[in-house]
Amino acid sequence: MELSFERDPIAKQGISVIIPSHDAGEVLTKMLDAFGALLGSRTSPYEIIVVDDASQDGTAERLQERASHSNALRVIRLEQSMGYGVALKTGVQAAQQPMLFTMPAQAGFEPKDLHAFLDAIDAVDIVCGVRPGRSWWQRQRDAWPGWWFMGVTVTDPKCPVRLYRRSVFERWEIQSKSAFAQVEIIAKANFLTALISEVAISGPARFRWPGDASEGKDARRLFFHPEFKTQLLAKA
């Protein structure tokens, strides 16, 4: 197989913003306002997909009302809390634009950081965010499963803020139910020789999804599950 390090320009094409959300309240409202203003200034098409992971604060109802007045906003509600990985996978499968930007509805993440991702995407397949203010211990704790078992080399493999070419997901699907999906995506993309870069972002040093499934369990299941690589090899 011949490898190519050239990528077609994509930064000015359409974008799908995927926002997994669980009882996000005002955070989600402010995030939607910010994304609406930012994306509305672009000339390319866009959509904002909110995946509501069985929120109990009336999020889905408020969003449906808002979506009725916006062609760009789409709301997908999961009737049972399924975990961050499932919410992310649902949004990815629903996305229709050639670029996918993922950012969970959590305080501290800033939609304005999208500019830095767009500046970097033309040369690569994935742009990963790197959060500030994380201690040496936090970096080691988050990174070791990916570094040692799956060959992941990015600085912040569990950062949930990323920009992807949609083509990254055409040959496989997310298997993790938890936030370990972040590591899984990079591991599989790396296996398929995707080009990856990193940008510094605003954001909390810690990201947790309420009621999320065990990341350790997902890590073990993926690493030892025969489908982890055969799913890729069958489509290589």
Side-chain angles (χ1 to χ4, degrees):
M1 180 176 63
E2 183 178 350
L3 301 181
S4 174
F5 296 100
E6 297 293 328
R7 296 293 185 268
D8 294 331
I10 195 174
K12 294 184 179 180
Q13 295 186 30
I15 186 169
S16 297
V17 173
I18 300 168
I19 307 177
S21 176
H22 182 87
D23 290 341
E26 292 185 8
V27 172
L28 182 57
T29 299
K30 293 177 180 179
M31 189 173 283
L32 290 175
D33 289 341
F35 272 123
L38 190 157
L39 297 172
S41 66
R42 288 167 50 90
T43 58
S44 54
Y46 71 91
E47 62 180 351
I48 301 174
I49 302 172
V50 177
V51 182
D52 178 44
D53 188 32
S55 295
Q56 300 298 311
D57 64 348
T59 295
E61 292 76 13
R62 292 196 300 271
L63 289 178
Q64 291 293 356
E65 172 63 23
R66 183 168 181 150
S68 67
H69 302 288
S70 171
N71 293 328
L73 177 60
R74 300 168 59 193
V75 181
I76 303 174
R77 176 170 172 78
L78 304 179
E79 295 302 326
Q80 291 184 316
S81 183
M82 302 296 291
Y84 182 78
V86 175
L88 181 62
K89 176 180 177 180
T90 300
V92 167
Q93 291 179 331
Q96 299 178 351
Q97 298 298 331
M99 289 187 295
L100 311 183
F101 184 64
T102 63
M103 177 179 282
Q106 179 174 336
F109 291 123
E110 296 288 346
K112 65 183 180 181
D113 285 335
L114 175 59
H115 293 296
F117 288 83
L118 291 171
D119 288 342
I121 191 62
D122 278 348
V124 297
D125 300 296
I126 305 172
V127 184
C128 297
V130 178
R131 293 167 289 177
R134 300 172 70 246
S135 68
W136 179 90
W137 167 245
Q138 286 174 315
R139 295 195 302 270
Q140 297 300 311
R141 181 195 60 199
D142 287 352
W144 74 265
W147 286 350
W148 292 105
F149 295 130
M150 297 180 179
V152 173
T153 58
V154 298
T155 305
D156 190 358
K158 289 189 178 181
C159 179
V161 184
R162 293 178 182 167
L163 181 62
Y164 303 93
R165 291 177 185 255
R166 185 181 176 187
S167 57
V168 167
F169 296 98
E170 290 178 352
R171 296 163 67 180
W172 53 272
E173 64 181 28
I174 298 170
Q175 293 171 267
S176 297
K177 296 180 180 180
S178 70
F180 193 76
Q182 304 300 333
V183 179
E184 175 193 345
I185 290 169
I186 294 299
K188 289 181 174 179
N190 189 55
F191 182 80
L192 293 174
T193 66
L195 298 181
I196 303 169
S197 66
E198 300 174 292
V199 297
I201 66 165
S202 308
R206 196 170 188 179
F207 169 63
R208 284 191 175 276
W209 194 251
D212 208 354
S214 167
E215 293 187 26
K217 183 177 180 179
D218 269 343
R220 292 189 296 273
R221 183 172 61 86
L222 280 171
F223 185 71
F224 292 109
H225 199 292
E227 286 187 6
F228 178 70
K229 286 188 176 180
T230 57
Q231 183 187 91
L232 307 180
L233 291 171
K235 300 183 180 181

